């Protein structure tokens, strides 16, 4: 009796490429577990460390034996929501940055640099000053509108399909500068809006509550699911539109999905804690050193490591100026500015 054994390796090919792929995927998976462990450590530090020193035993008491003492209130009612919101906002900013870089094929793309955060912030400030908006549930919808309008505007100003990375970055920078000037002008003319949004406009987690978390969580969750589902078509688009079509990617659907994800993620994150820049720029670049260009891994790693950066910056801001606080948006800007300059001046970016 003849038994046909299907060949595991096509004739003429070596087992080395398959083994290398398995080894690379195993290393990526191990790295992802390490990133999750690091996120857990930073989250614990965010709960345990702050402007007010709370002994570790009281931190434990506040988490698991809440009795309403001042330390319990600081831990359970202030730091826990702040940490949860930091994880969610960091995830949103990291995913949106990775998606924008892949969609525009622009290594400098980031919600802050391309003006998306400024657009969301300008819309919220306008709603507060001119329409009397007061609640986060109102902020979110205005933030979505502002983020979407500026995304389209920058894309058009950058040249649409003929856009280059530098043209998009310049268009985004110009839009951001104009919108920041508008925001400052509105706040100076409206003292109530200035007081209400004083910390929000520089990017802050200080006012986080569980209500904030529950209100923005659905939008961030939907945006994250859409973004993570785009990994394979974004990989195809990286090879060029013609190749992507040949591989079966629906370019129109991918672009619409990407813009929807960016709008949801940036709009919700900005509504919750104001415009925070450079997180979506730094982390995708960092994770590519470990994952390579595969967007499926880049997106997952960005979703884990961006909260690490955001929470770490928030902890630093609470400690360096103790008993006052340095807002997290200021800390990320101080870190991100030199990183942006480095990326622009890299030799491989010379053609930009």
């Amino acid at each position: 009796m003849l038994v046909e054994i299907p060949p595991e390796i096509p004739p003429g090919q070596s087992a080395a490429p398959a083994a290398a792929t398995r080894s690379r995927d195993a290393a990526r998976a191990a790295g992802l577990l390490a990133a999750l462990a690091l996120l857990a450590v930073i989250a614990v530090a965010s709960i345990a460390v702050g402007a007010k020193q709370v002994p570790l035993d009281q931190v434990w008491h506040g988490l698991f034996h809440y009795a309403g003492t001042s330390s319990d209130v600081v831990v359970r009612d202030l730091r826990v929501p702040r940490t949860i919101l930091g994880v969610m906002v960091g995830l949103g900013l990291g995913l949106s940055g990775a998606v924008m870089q892949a969609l525009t094929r622009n290594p400098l793309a980031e919600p802050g640099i391309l003006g998306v955060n400024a657009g969301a912030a300008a819309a919220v400030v306008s709603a507060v000053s001119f329409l009397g908006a007061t609640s986060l549930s109102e902020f979110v919808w205005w933030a979505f509108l502002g983020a979407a309008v500026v995304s389209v505007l920058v894309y058009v100003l950058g040249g649409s399909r003929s856009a280059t990375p530098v043209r998009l970055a310049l268009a985004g920078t110009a839009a951001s500068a104009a919108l920041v000037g508008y925001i400052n002008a509105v706040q100076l003319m409206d003292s109530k809006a200035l007081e209400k949004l004083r910390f929000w406009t520089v990017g802050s987690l200080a006012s986080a509550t569980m209500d904030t978390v529950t209100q923005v969580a659905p939008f961030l969750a939907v945006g994250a699911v859409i973004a993570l589902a785009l990994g394979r078509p974004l990989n195809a688009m990286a090879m060029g539109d013609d190749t992507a079509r040949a591989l079966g990617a629906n370019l129109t659907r991918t672009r619409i999905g990407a813009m929807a994800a960016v709008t949801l993620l940036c709009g919700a994150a900005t509504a919750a804690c104001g415009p925070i820049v450079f997180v979506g720029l730094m982390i995708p670049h960092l994770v590519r050193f470990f994952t390579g260009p595969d967007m499926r891994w880049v997106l997952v790693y960005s979703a884990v490591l961006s909260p690490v950066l955001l929470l770490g910056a928030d902890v630093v801001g609470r400690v360096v100026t103790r008993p006052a606080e340095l807002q997290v948006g200021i800390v990320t800007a101080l870190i991100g500015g030199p990183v942006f300059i480095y990326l622009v001046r890299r030799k491989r970016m010379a053609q930009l």
Side-chain angles (χ1 to χ4, degrees):
M1 181 175 64
L2 297 176
V3 178
E4 183 179 352
I5 302 176
E8 295 183 359
I9 304 171
Q13 291 189 14
S14 169
T21 299
R22 288 194 297 269
S23 176
R24 185 166 57 250
D25 287 344
R28 289 167 172 168
L32 184 59
L33 291 176
L36 288 168
L38 179 60
L39 176 58
V41 171
I42 294 295
V44 170
S46 177
I47 296 173
V49 178
K52 177 182 178 181
Q53 295 186 6
V54 179
L56 289 178
D57 61 328
Q58 293 184 25
V59 172
W60 181 268
H61 188 276
L63 286 173
F64 301 105
H65 306 285
Y66 186 86
T69 65
S70 60
S71 296
D72 290 349
V73 170
V74 167
V75 172
R76 178 80 69 87
D77 298 339
L78 299 180
R79 292 185 185 173
V80 169
R82 184 172 186 160
T83 300
I84 296 173
L85 185 64
V87 171
M88 293 166 52
V89 169
L91 178 148
L93 295 175
L95 281 176
S96 60
V99 169
M100 290 178 76
Q101 289 174 16
L103 179 66
T104 62
R105 298 175 198 154
N106 177 4
L108 303 180
E110 191 264 347
I113 293 172
L114 294 190
V116 180
N117 285 348
V124 171
V125 168
S126 299
V128 170
S129 182
F130 302 127
L131 301 177
T134 57
S135 65
L136 181 63
S137 59
E138 295 175 287
F139 288 2
V140 168
W141 298 108
W142 285 103
F144 288 157
L145 177 62
V149 169
V150 173
S151 296
V152 174
L153 177 64
V154 168
Y155 186 63
V156 171
L157 292 176
S160 300
R161 291 183 177 274
S162 62
T164 64
V166 160
R167 290 177 67 179
L168 285 170
L170 290 174
T173 301
S176 293
L179 290 169
V180 168
Y182 167 77
I183 291 169
N184 292 335
V186 170
Q187 289 184 296
L188 288 174
M189 291 187 296
D190 188 342
S191 58
K192 292 183 179 179
L194 173 61
E195 183 60 30
K196 187 179 297 184
L197 300 171
R198 186 159 54 97
F199 291 113
W200 182 88
T201 51
V202 296
S204 174
L205 295 171
S207 59
T209 65
M210 287 309 298
D211 285 341
T212 308
V213 170
T214 55
Q215 288 185 56
V216 301
F219 302 106
L220 288 169
V222 173
V225 169
I226 296 173
L228 292 171
L230 293 173
R232 191 178 295 275
L234 288 175
N235 277 343
M237 287 182 65
M239 303 178 191
D241 289 358
D242 292 337
T243 303
R245 290 190 189 94
L247 292 173
N250 187 318
L251 301 186
T252 300
R253 186 170 59 192
T254 300
R255 289 190 175 106
I256 292 174
M259 292 308 300
V262 168
T263 301
L264 285 168
L265 294 169
C266 292
T270 304
C273 56
I276 297 175
V277 298
F278 290 124
V279 174
L281 174 71
M282 291 185 283
I283 294 301
H285 276 280
L286 174 65
V287 302
R288 287 190 188 96
F289 285 110
F290 302 99
T291 65
D294 190 336
M295 285 302 299
R296 293 171 297 179
W297 286 101
V298 170
L299 289 168
V300 173
Y301 265 80
S302 296
V304 175
L305 289 178
S306 293
V308 171
L309 173 61
L310 190 64
L311 286 181
D314 190 45
V315 171
V316 170
R318 283 184 268 171
V319 171
V320 295
T321 58
R322 193 182 270 170
E325 292 188 13
L326 190 63
Q327 306 308 312
V328 65
I330 297 174
V331 179
T332 59
L334 290 173
I335 299 171
V339 173
F340 179 69
I341 294 171
Y342 165 73
L343 291 174
V344 170
R345 293 181 61 86
R346 281 171 63 185
K347 289 184 179 179
R348 70 180 65 179
M349 299 279 289
Q351 72 275 18
L352 302 184

